[in-house]
Amino acid sequence: RMQTGVTQKETVAILGEPTETSAIGIGGLSGGMATWRDGSTEISVQFVNDKVQARQLNREAARPQAK
């Protein structure tokens, strides 16, 4: 469902509100990144002109609890 070209609004409809966002505008281009975190899973999505350009999924191995 998450493909290049999907709008930022569609992405939020799929994943919910992001944990973290950043944005920048240069000339006629606007861009940004949104990150969703849930436990050991992190999804990062880069947007250019409100469309998905890149996405990344990271899953960390469970960390042992300190005693």
Side-chain angles (χ1 to χ4, degrees), residues 3-63:
Q3 301 178 48
T4 300
V6 172
T7 68
Q8 191 164 354
K9 186 176 181 178
E10 291 170 318
T11 302
V12 170
I14 294 167
L15 298 175
E17 289 298 323
T19 308
E20 203 176 294
T21 60
S22 63
I24 189 169
I26 300 173
L29 293 175
S30 63
M33 177 175 273
T35 303
W36 289 260
R37 289 190 184 91
D38 184 23
S40 62
T41 302
E42 178 179 283
I43 299 171
S44 298
V45 180
Q46 294 176 340
F47 298 94
V48 174
N49 289 337
D50 193 44
K51 305 273 184 181
V52 172
Q53 293 301 310
R55 59 206 184 283
Q56 182 174 356
L57 171 66
N58 292 315
R59 290 190 181 153
E60 294 180 13
R63 296 180 189 165

